[in-house]
Structure formats: C-alpha cells, structure tokens
Amino acid sequence: MILDLIASRNYAEESEVRAMPMVLRIERVDPPSRTALLEAAAASAVAVCLDPRADVGGEWHEAVRAWVAGRIRKVSRRARGVQWDAVQELPGVTITVDGASVRSLLPVLVTETPREVAKLQISGSDLPPDEPGAVPEGARLLYVNPRVEMSAGKLAAQVGHASMLLAPRLSETELKAWALLDYRCAVRTPSVAEWDALIGRDDVVAVRDAGFTEVEPGTTTVLAV
C-alpha cells in the first residue's frame, strides 16, 4: 500500500502540512563525513516507509499513509549529545553508516512536531566535501546534481526522497535483499557530462524539488539508479 502510494504520487490536496523530521547527528568533536551522513539519511528515510509497522494494520500505517498521500516533505535538523539521545525515544528508525548516524522519525503534522525535535537547529548542518571510497556491494546509487550547491541538511532530505521514490521500482526480491543491507545507499556527485547522460534515462528516478529552500522550484536535485 505505501509503495503503491509513493509510486503513483497522485497526492491529495493538503489541508494541513505534514513532514518527516530527520535528525542528523553532528557532534562538535569528530563530526561525521558528509557522504556517510547523506547515505545514512537516504537509508533511514526509506526504512521508515518499509518498516513492518507502516504496513496496513501497523501502528505507523496511518501516519505514513497520510504523509505519502500528500507531498513528501522532510525537515532536517542537527543534534548532538543529550539532544541526540532524546530523539531516540521518539518513533522512527536510526541508521548508522561509517560512524555517521541519522534518525528519520515518523511523519507528523508540522504543528505537532515533538518538542524534542522542534528545539533542534535547522541551520548549521553543513559539512565539508569529502572523497568517498568504492561503492559498497549491493548499495543503491544516488547521484547529486553537480550544478547545484546544497547544504548537507538540504541534501539529506533530497536523498531521502530519492531512496523512497526508488523503492517502488524494485522487485520484492530486490527489496528483501536491500533490507538485509539496511537499505544501503551510495551517494556520489558525478561530472556534469555524466549527470547529463543519466538524466534522460528510463531506468533513473529523478527528484525534483518544490523550491521551498535553497534551490529554484523544479530543480532536479538527485537521480536514483
């Protein structure tokens, strides 16, 4: 059901805005690498949607269904120390990749954002570029638009969109294999020429941003292969 809604994207008109809070663990000392944090974000977002609790009859189903039926908004915030510990008590899924952790929470009405999340900072979540290693076996490739500058916080939401939109394109066997890898993703920035070659392919899922922050409306931010 959830995958069917994501695949159709014939969302209903929204009377109230819903969003998935994404909490990025960025400690002052020894912060994570940008790539690892984005890969953890992509995996945790789709993990919430594919969690058994989001299935019909599950305790998360109605919250996820209502959110997916609208626009799949996400809001990234940073946390450290006791702030990070506090959000672990809220319903959601934490994924850690190479020491970088992100917890994607159950979508909520923006007006009902939990107090532990609302007090976290949205700004200040950027990290310097890094050189990622080889693509891990079984990881799903997500390509970031090389022409557009985005903060790590903005990109965390975008790669989360990409992993979600990719999931309905996979077979049941592929989804089960991906789940065994904790929905491992590899986030990479291609050359401009590589991006242009990818963007028109039928086997590529494109994320086009609504343009609320940082980029112009309709900008293609991420491609999922």
Side-chain angles (χ1 to χ4, degrees):
M1 172 66 79
I2 296 301
L3 287 182
D4 291 341
L5 282 172
I6 295 172
S8 68
R9 299 308 301 134
N10 293 320
Y11 54 81
E13 288 300 319
E14 297 168 288
S15 58
E16 297 176 290
V17 178
R18 298 173 185 270
M20 171 186 277
M22 300 180 74
V23 183
L24 320 179
R25 186 177 189 180
I26 304 178
E27 300 287 349
R28 254 192 207 95
V29 178
D30 194 23
S33 75
R34 181 182 175 102
T35 296
L37 193 73
L38 295 176
E39 292 174 347
S44 66
V46 74
V48 170
C49 298
L50 298 181
D51 190 284
R53 289 167 288 185
D55 291 343
V56 175
E59 59 191 287
W60 290 4
H61 177 71
E62 182 52 34
V64 176
R65 185 210 61 76
W67 173 61
V68 172
R71 297 179 183 273
I72 53 173
R73 291 184 175 93
K74 298 181 179 72
V75 179
S76 301
R77 300 174 186 266
R78 61 179 171 85
R80 57 173 64 103
V82 295
Q83 298 172 328
W84 173 255
D85 294 337
V87 299
Q88 302 309 302
E89 302 303 316
L90 300 173
V93 178
T94 297
I95 296 286
T96 299
V97 175
D98 296 337
S101 297
V102 175
R103 185 168 183 82
S104 291
L105 301 175
L106 193 64
V108 294
L109 291 168
V110 171
T111 55
E112 297 178 2
T113 300
R115 177 177 53 83
E116 298 91 336
V117 176
K119 66 183 182 181
L120 300 177
Q121 294 292 317
I122 296 177
S123 61
S125 60
D126 206 9
L127 294 164
D130 59 89
E131 291 294 331
V135 174
E137 185 176 354
R140 294 289 166 174
L141 271 164
L142 308 180
Y143 290 107
V144 173
N145 190 334
R147 291 190 174 93
V148 180
E149 289 189 14
M150 290 173 278
S151 68
K154 173 70 173 181
L155 263 177
Q158 299 303 299
V159 295
H161 293 340
S163 62
M164 283 179 57
L165 295 175
L166 175 63
R169 302 280 291 268
L170 304 179
S171 68
E172 185 175 345
T173 299
E174 289 171 323
L175 284 171
K176 287 179 178 178
W178 199 23
L180 292 174
L181 298 174
D182 287 335
Y183 304 105
R184 188 71 165 91
C185 295
V187 177
R188 299 292 185 267
T189 302
S191 69
V192 170
E194 289 170 332
W195 174 268
D196 289 344
L198 283 166
I199 202 165
R201 281 171 37 177
D202 292 337
D203 62 339
V204 170
V205 178
V207 176
R208 292 181 176 82
D209 192 63
F212 294 121
T213 60
E214 296 193 26
V215 301
E216 293 297 317
T219 300
T220 300
T221 53
V222 181
L223 300 176
V225 179

